[in-house]
Amino acid sequence: MTASDQQRLRHADFAGLSASEFRLVEQLVRDIPLPLPPVRSRRERAGTRGHRPHWPRALQQARRHEGELLQLPLMNRRPQPLPLLILVDISGSMERYARLLLAFLHQATRGTPRAAFAFGTELTDLRAAFLHRDTDQMLEMANAAIDDFAGGTRLGASLASLRTQYPRCLVGRRTVVLLITDGLDTGAPERGAVFRLQLPLAEGLP
């Protein structure tokens, strides 16, 4: 594509795209970064900055330089990415965007601990599909696994299924939850309210 083609597609209405243009947009979204703030883990490592000396590394350096300590190594906490719980709406109202979102999230969250699910009238586990490095293969596996694509939306029931069937994937204190939906729910509204009140905290992603 030329630069002008890319610029036009970045601002185009998805509903007006042709099949070939939609495929080009799908390729473009794979290069969009998703900046996620890292946190400092409990594990420490030696470095030039830190809050206390790393004495074993200091003694090793002194032994190599005839007892001279040229630089005092310090201990700092390693940065690590926040774990992700991804929930993508694949109902009829999100049909045009679901494939693009899955392709984007598969590439943008690479290297991050993640658990991915799709939901419409039911919840579908996409963790096995997201393990593949190739995005096209991931989309093929997701398409084969999802039985309710472009159907209705039962957000409350899907979240309740997540709570009962996948309790270890529920949010921990540091888990970032990406719930992507247009909010058009055809299920009972009280199911979502009950889920919000009864959501327990788990240790994090498996």
Side-chain angles (χ1 to χ4, degrees):
M1 293 191 305
T2 64
S4 59
D5 291 333
Q6 293 186 20
Q7 184 67 20
R8 181 180 61 82
L9 290 178
R10 290 179 187 274
H11 300 279
D13 183 1
F14 284 176
L17 295 179
S18 65
S20 59
E21 289 176 332
F22 190 83
R23 179 63 179 173
L24 291 176
V25 171
E26 183 185 308
Q27 294 295 325
L28 285 175
V29 299
R30 303 183 187 191
D31 297 328
I32 299 176
L34 179 63
L36 295 171
V39 295
R40 289 187 296 177
S41 67
R42 294 184 177 90
R43 295 183 179 182
E44 296 181 324
R45 64 181 178 184
T48 57
R49 298 180 181 180
H51 60 283
R52 63 187 180 88
H54 190 294
W55 292 117
R57 181 65 62 84
L59 293 175
Q60 292 176 2
Q61 291 185 8
R63 185 174 58 185
R64 289 196 298 265
H65 297 89
E66 299 180 352
E68 293 289 338
L69 187 61
L70 303 180
Q71 184 180 17
L72 181 63
L74 302 173
M75 295 289 293
N76 55 34
R77 296 168 63 182
R78 298 181 179 183
Q80 65 180 17
L82 290 169
L84 292 175
L85 175 60
I86 302 171
L87 301 164
V88 180
D89 187 346
I90 45 89
S91 62
S93 57
M94 293 286 291
E95 176 183 2
R96 193 65 173 171
Y97 314 100
R99 184 179 175 91
L100 296 175
L101 288 169
L102 290 175
F104 160 66
L105 292 169
H106 180 256
Q107 288 289 338
T109 62
R110 187 185 301 275
T112 301
R114 60 192 179 184
F117 295 85
F119 68 91
T121 56
E122 59 186 35
L123 187 71
T124 303
D125 186 356
L126 298 181
R127 288 178 294 175
F130 266 63
L131 289 177
H132 288 278
R133 296 186 60 85
D134 184 71
T135 300
D136 291 324
Q137 189 173 4
M138 180 277 298
L139 291 172
E140 290 180 5
M141 289 190 63
N143 185 63
I146 297 172
D147 295 327
D148 57 339
F149 184 75
T153 309
R154 298 173 60 207
L155 177 57
S158 298
L159 293 178
S161 297
L162 176 67
R163 178 174 177 267
T164 57
Q165 299 179 23
Y166 307 96
R168 289 185 57 82
C169 290
L170 293 177
V171 293
R173 293 183 177 180
R174 290 187 171 184
T175 304
V176 176
V177 180
L178 297 179
L179 177 59
I180 305 174
T181 178
D182 59 0
L184 183 58
D185 196 343
T186 58
E190 61 271 12
R191 295 300 299 273
V194 170
F195 182 84
R196 287 194 300 270
L197 292 174
Q198 297 181 355
L199 177 63
L201 290 179
E203 296 179 356
L205 299 179

